[in-house]
Amino acid sequence: DAMVIQNPRYQVTQFGKPVTLSCSQTLNHNVMYWYQQKSSQAPKLLFHYYDKDFNNEADTPDNFQSRRPNTSFCFLDIRSPGLGDAAMYLCATSIGQTTNEKLFFGSGTQLSVL
Amino acid sequence: DAKTTQPPSMDCAEGRAANLPCNHSTISGNEYVYWYRQIHSQGPQYIIHGLKNNETNEMASLIITEDRKSSTLILPHATLRDTAVYYCIVAETDSWGKFQFGAGTQVVVTP
């Protein structure tokens, strides 16, 4: 039973054409994260939401935006994708507590930029 | 600055125990040690975590040294399905938002 669901599994977009990736969760967790993972590299945190509070990592490009309209859904918007944005994008959730925090990941969306 | 150091790769024979080391010499008192793994083309999966005591669950055991500067993840009977990249992460007790992945160890389990 999938708890963190990412759609689509594969996404192809054109250079410069805006693209949105979606993530939903059935865990009712407070925190939702977006990670970028390029080939043969570790996942890199882009930003996260604690409830409605948005927290951007200092080195996340302005080209990447996020929306969280409600507890269950979170979106990653890439305003003008470049070839270097081709990667696996991973959504994760966590309860948001002071101890025993764990991340639950979706299966990811593999983004190709042509 | 990397908080953890892991060997880039290691091999393990199927059915044998796999011992994965992690160095975290700058760990602070309120930081937990977490282990995740990522099977090819999937999202990372939580394995285990601990503060200072050794921990065991259905997947693995975690041994943390007394000074907490290093730890070892033990997969007691490795199977081919354990082939994955294993990530050791240190994170504060209020760790939401602070899970930063390092390079990890590529473990290959061979028949």
Side-chain angles (χ1 to χ4, degrees):
Chain A
D1 295 337
M3 296 178 289
V4 182
I5 303 161
Q6 291 189 245
N7 285 308
R9 184 74 174 91
Y10 299 94
Q11 176 75 56
V12 180
T13 191
Q14 293 178 338
F15 182 93
K17 184 175 181 180
V19 65
T20 295
L21 309 182
S22 70
C23 176
S24 64
Q25 56 138 337
T26 61
L27 298 164
N28 203 34
H29 283 174
N30 290 314
V31 195
M32 295 189 77
Y33 309 78
W34 281 102
Y35 285 83
Q36 178 193 61
Q37 186 174 27
K38 295 186 178 181
S39 181
S40 300
Q41 296 184 18
K44 179 180 181 296
L45 181 63
L46 295 174
F47 28 59
H48 73 275
Y49 274 94
Y50 189 105
D51 194 12
K52 295 182 180 180
D53 293 331
F54 178 71
N55 296 271
N56 200 28
E57 293 300 300
D59 57 354
T60 298
D62 293 339
N63 197 28
F64 292 86
Q65 304 285 319
S66 186
R67 295 170 285 133
R68 190 179 184 185
N70 53 52
T71 299
S72 300
F73 286 87
C74 194
F75 300 97
L76 171 62
D77 301 310
I78 308 177
R79 294 191 296 185
S80 182
L83 298 179
D85 296 327
M88 173 76 82
Y89 290 88
L90 295 160
C91 175
T93 72
S94 67
I95 296 174
Q97 59 186 17
T98 55
T99 59
N100 293 318
E101 192 74 333
K102 302 173 191 175
L103 290 176
F104 294 81
F105 281 87
S107 297
T109 294
Q110 182 67 52
L111 178 68
S112 299
V113 182
L114 303 180
Chain B
D1 291 340
K3 285 190 167 186
T4 63
T5 304
Q6 299 177 252
S9 64
M10 61 184 298
D11 294 335
C12 178
E14 187 178 21
R16 303 294 293 271
N19 297 291
L20 282 63
C22 180
N23 182 286
H24 31 80
S25 58
T26 60
I27 193 170
S28 63
N30 63 343
E31 286 184 315
Y32 282 80
V33 179
Y34 286 82
W35 285 84
Y36 286 79
R37 75 178 183 184
Q38 187 174 24
I39 296 170
H40 183 62
S41 297
Q42 298 182 21
Q45 175 191 25
Y46 166 83
I47 301 173
I48 198 167
H49 75 286
L51 185 61
K52 55 184 177 181
N53 297 322
N54 297 338
E55 303 287 345
T56 295
N57 63 21
E58 65 279 3
M59 292 182 68
S61 294
L62 174 60
I63 308 297
I64 303 174
T65 58
E66 191 169 347
D67 64 7
R68 302 207 325 121
K69 293 184 177 182
S70 64
S71 62
T72 301
L73 179 74
I74 301 173
L75 307 177
H77 305 286
T79 70
L80 299 180
R81 288 175 294 180
D82 292 323
T83 292
V85 178
Y86 287 76
Y87 296 101
C88 171
I89 302 168
V90 295
E92 295 173 1
T93 49
D94 57 342
S95 57
W96 53 269
K98 299 184 179 71
F99 286 93
Q100 303 282 7
F101 287 75
T105 296
Q106 172 68 64
V107 173
V108 176
V109 181
T110 55

